[in-house]
Amino acid sequence: QVQLVESGGGLVQPGGSLRLTCVASGSIFSFFTMGWYRQTPGKERELVAFINNDGSTNYRSSVKGRCTISRDNPKNTVYLQMNSLKPEDTAVYYCYYYTTTQGQYWGQGTQVTVSS
């Protein structure tokens, strides 16, 4: 089993920055993908970004250029650096871990609020 713990959310002013952290523990395989979803009440969950084992990344168009996802393999940790934040970035952000053998696991979520 895999456990994921997110941190780094909070209240930030428009134009500000936050760095989200997700630490995976448990039965971690050698090759895995991790990433971030976000969800606002009443709206569909949407993929923000993910990073593969080889370090290749993908971003949704609305955050590309403002967000950077990275990973620290020895620590089984991924980061989401978010800059130039906008009110529409407000959401609960959920980390995920995925392998074909284990399937997908989610963290508990961390709240990001962008407001003046």
Side-chain angles (χ1 to χ4, degrees):
Q1 298 300 109
V2 176
Q3 298 81 43
L4 303 172
V5 178
E6 303 111 320
S7 62
L11 175 64
V12 65
Q13 303 294 311
S17 298
L18 286 173
R19 188 181 74 164
L20 307 183
T21 299
C22 179
V23 181
S25 62
S27 184
I28 306 301
F29 282 17
S30 297
F31 303 97
F32 59 89
T33 295
M34 292 182 68
W36 296 86
Y37 285 87
R38 67 186 182 188
Q39 187 168 33
T40 299
K43 299 181 180 180
E44 297 291 324
R45 184 183 65 177
E46 61 183 25
L47 180 65
V48 179
F50 67 86
I51 184 166
N52 294 312
N53 186 73
D54 64 0
S56 61
T57 59
N58 285 273
Y59 301 88
R60 75 178 298 109
S61 296
S62 61
V63 305
K64 193 172 185 178
R66 299 188 295 117
C67 295
T68 301
I69 188 169
S70 60
R71 62 192 287 163
D72 185 338
N73 287 336
K75 297 180 179 179
N76 296 321
T77 299
V78 296
Y79 306 94
L80 184 66
Q81 178 69 44
M82 302 188 292
N83 303 318
S84 301
L85 284 164
K86 305 173 181 179
E88 51 263 43
D89 294 317
T90 296
V92 178
Y93 285 70
Y94 296 91
C95 176
Y96 78 89
Y97 163 101
Y98 175 79
T99 70
T100 56
T101 300
Q102 298 170 291
Q104 193 167 30
Y105 292 83
W106 288 267
Q108 82 287 349
T110 184
Q111 176 72 48
V112 172
T113 302
V114 185
S115 180
S116 59

